[in-house]
């Protein structure tokens, strides 16, 4: 390893890019786009990575994969930046706030800027790379399955071989500024939802015995799901089921028994076993309740993210490289996973690696009370961009150097 590609040297070099990265991030912040088609965002990213390597664009979505070829042959490392915004009307008062009805309220504008910064660091020192790096710019993270579309289109194999390691960073507006957090094993939940419909038979509210009321079994089912979580799953492996909406009848009418009653719930699990088990136990429970009341029930599960699993070895390297790059005290090992979902889990299901959280709470805010990611008031301190870029580039060098040993 030459002096120039040591983590501390990359961190120093990245800090010279900080203003440029902030400019890029603020440009992106003003043109947030939603879902899988992000044409303006893609153009802004492409303008910033021009000439750094080969670029492959997605077919079904506006994804881009930058392939930086190393000076020496070797395996590949994958770095990932997500690109999409949320349908949130921004209320931050920032002078670069979005005005188009969407908002980078989850900090993906910072992720793109970090990915661009890392790409420049890696391309500058490409002659010292003992292998290749592919940098994913991925649309549709917020529940649109963008990572899975890229995988289906072959983006894991963009360099010709399956990467040996994959890394991504996620910023949080309510985590302490500049701190990196992660943990070995599960970091984020398998997140998915379901729609449940009870089918009865409509009738007059004065004579329920002559029809089949679907509302009562639905209410029982919503309660029973909470009991099922505590009685059928280990208290040491959390499962979250939360009903988010219910729908039955008509709010102008008290005396009619409706034909159907339905509800939607989100489901979070932290192991493959529980993700599979819940899909078996929920229909069993709900069909039992329906049968007891003489109605029928349909349970439809929506596609879920996988549990985001960090490889323990990769977390060891993350901790070491953070120490080498920025000095001690910048990494904290998180005690618990978080219940949010993330489609980078699909990448980490195929390639060992790690996802790392980074605190970006502005120093004038108290991180314990700051508006969280997805809030219309979430504010991210973009002075973290240089360190984020340096960490991604350093992890790529680290994985390739170790593989060459
Ligand atoms: Zn996010």
């Amino acid at each position: 390893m030459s002096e120039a590609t040591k983590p501390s040297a990359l961190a120093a070099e990245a800090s010279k890019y900080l203003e440029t990265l902030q400019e890029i991030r603020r440009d992106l912040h003003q043109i947030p786009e939603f879902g899988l088609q992000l044409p303006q965002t893609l153009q802004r990213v492409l303008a910033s990575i021009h000439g750094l390597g080969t670029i492959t664009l997605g077919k079904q979505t506006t994804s881009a994969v930058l392939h930086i070829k190393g000076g020496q042959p070797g395996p590949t490392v994958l770095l990932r930046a997500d690109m999409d915004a949320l349908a949130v009307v921004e209320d931050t008062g920032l002078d670069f706030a979005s005005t188009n009805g969407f908002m980078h309220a989850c900090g993906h504008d910072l992720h793109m800027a970090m990915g661009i910064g890392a790409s420049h660091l890696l391309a500058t020192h490409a002659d010292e790379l003992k292998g290749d790096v592919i940098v994913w710019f991925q649309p549709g993270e917020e529940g649109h399955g963008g990572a899975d579309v890229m995988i289906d289109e072959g983006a894991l194999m963009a360099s010709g071989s399956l990467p040996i390691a994959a890394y991504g960073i996620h910023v949080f507006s309510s985590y302490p500024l500049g701190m990196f957090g992660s943990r070995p094993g599960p970091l984020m939940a398998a997140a998915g939802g379901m729609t449940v419909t009870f089918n009865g038979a409509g009738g007059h509210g004065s004579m329920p015995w002559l029809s089949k009321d679907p509302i009562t079994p639905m209410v029982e089912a919503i309660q029973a799901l909470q009991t099922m979580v505590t009685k059928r799953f280990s208290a040491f492996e959390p499962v979250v089921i939360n009903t988010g909406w219910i729908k039955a009848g008509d709010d102008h009418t008290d005396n009619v028994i409706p034909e159907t009653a339905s509800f939607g719930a989100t489901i979070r699990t932290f192991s493959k076993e529980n993700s599979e088990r819940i899909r078996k136990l929920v229909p069993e429970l709900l069909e039992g309740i329906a049968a007891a009341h003489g109605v029928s029930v349909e349970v439809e599960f929506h596609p879920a993210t996988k549990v985001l699993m960090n490889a323990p070895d990769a977390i060891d390297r993350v901790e070491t490289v953070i120490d080498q790059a920025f000095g001690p005290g910048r990494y904290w090992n998180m005690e618990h996973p978080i219940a949010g979902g993330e489609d980078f889990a699909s990448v980490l299901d195929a390639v060992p690696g790690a996802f790392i959280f980074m605190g970006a709470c502005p120093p004038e805010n108290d991180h314990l009370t700051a508006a969280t990611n997805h809030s219309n008031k979430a504010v991210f301190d973009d002075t973290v961009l240089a360190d984020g870029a340096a960490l991604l580039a350093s992890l790529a060098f680290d994985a390739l150097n170790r593989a060459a040993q």
Side-chain angles (χ1 to χ4, degrees):
M1 183 187 345
S2 85
E3 287 301 316
T5 59
K6 280 187 172 164
S8 56
L10 290 172
E13 187 177 345
S15 65
K16 294 183 202 150
Y17 296 161
L18 177 60
E19 263 178 52
T20 310
L21 296 180
Q22 286 174 306
E23 259 171 53
I24 295 168
R25 179 261 163 161
R26 292 174 188 203
D27 282 357
L28 289 164
H29 194 84
Q30 292 174 66
I31 52 164
E33 295 172 288
F34 182 80
L36 293 165
Q37 307 305 333
L38 320 173
Q40 274 189 290
T41 305
L42 176 65
Q43 286 316 312
R44 185 66 188 87
V45 169
L46 291 178
S48 302
I49 56 172
H50 181 76
L52 302 184
T54 318
I55 291 165
T56 310
L57 298 178
K59 293 177 195 79
Q60 301 161 71
T61 76
T62 52
S63 68
V65 180
L66 169 67
H67 176 194
I68 301 169
K69 238 181 139 35
Q72 298 153 59
T76 298
V77 172
L78 185 157
L79 303 176
R80 181 270 210 159
D82 47 6
M83 305 164 82
D84 57 322
L86 289 150
V88 166
V89 178
E90 179 157 356
D91 185 19
T92 57
L94 293 170
D95 54 11
F96 55 91
S98 142
T99 55
N100 70 358
F102 296 99
M103 177 182 172
H104 272 298
C106 201
H108 299 185
D109 49 341
L110 284 89
H111 303 166
M112 288 183 273
M114 287 178 188
I116 289 165
S119 300
H120 279 267
L121 291 169
L122 292 162
T124 302
H125 302 287
D127 53 336
E128 289 180 50
L129 277 174
K130 298 178 174 117
D132 295 359
V133 179
I134 57 174
V135 187
W136 275 30
F137 293 94
Q138 179 214 306
E141 186 282 323
E142 298 287 357
H144 314 282
D148 297 282
V149 177
M150 288 182 73
I151 291 170
D152 289 346
E153 291 185 354
L156 281 177
M157 299 294 287
S159 72
S161 67
L162 187 68
I164 56 162
Y167 295 102
I169 291 180
H170 203 303
V171 291
F172 281 85
S173 58
S174 57
Y175 284 2
L177 183 64
M179 287 296 292
F180 295 101
S182 197
R183 67 195 303 279
L187 176 70
M188 297 181 73
M194 64 176 177
T195 304
V196 176
T197 306
F198 283 86
N199 296 302
H204 201 294
S206 65
M207 298 172 284
W209 57 92
L210 296 180
S211 52
K212 288 178 180 171
D213 169 29
I215 294 181
T216 310
M218 175 182 78
V219 171
E220 218 174 288
I222 289 170
Q223 304 266 32
L225 285 168
Q226 300 305 308
T227 310
M228 185 194 74
V229 166
T230 61
K231 302 299 177 187
R232 306 290 306 267
F233 290 91
S234 162
F236 301 103
E237 252 192 64
V239 171
V240 178
I241 299 185
N242 195 73
T243 299
W245 59 267
I246 59 176
K247 204 168 132 197
D250 179 286
D251 63 359
H252 301 295
T253 320
D254 300 336
N255 59 357
V256 169
I257 292 172
E259 196 125 294
T260 65
S262 50
F263 69 94
T266 190
I267 302 170
R268 310 285 159 131
T269 54
F270 296 89
S271 68
K272 250 186 197 168
E273 296 69 40
N274 278 354
S275 305
E276 284 162 16
R277 211 162 150 246
I278 203 132
R279 288 176 143 63
K280 187 173 159 287
L281 293 187
V282 166
E284 271 176 25
L285 176 75
L286 300 187
E287 281 159 19
I289 291 170
H293 289 273
V295 299
S296 67
V297 67
E298 290 160 46
V299 184
E300 185 204 329
F301 290 101
H302 311 151
T305 60
K306 295 187 164 72
V307 182
L308 189 140
M309 285 286 182
N310 283 327
D313 297 4
I315 290 294
D316 285 347
R317 295 317 302 166
V318 165
E319 191 170 353
T320 304
V321 170
I322 288 171
D323 281 356
Q324 291 169 345
F326 313 112
R330 291 282 297 276
Y331 176 77
W332 100 93
N333 202 55
M334 297 168 61
E335 196 179 345
H336 304 293
I338 69 167
E342 162 65 58
D343 66 3
F344 188 57
S346 294
V347 174
L348 292 183
D349 194 48
V351 177
F355 199 49
I356 306 143
F357 295 156
M358 184 177 196
C361 181
E364 62 273 20
N365 294 353
D366 176 355
H367 72 89
L368 296 173
T369 54
T372 59
N373 285 34
H374 290 206
S375 159
N376 60 346
K377 292 191 164 60
V379 178
F380 300 85
D381 188 324
D382 57 20
T383 58
V384 301
L385 294 174
D387 286 359
L391 178 60
L392 289 172
S394 299
L395 287 167
F397 268 108
D398 182 70
L400 294 178
N401 288 338
R402 287 166 61 79
Q405 272 168 12

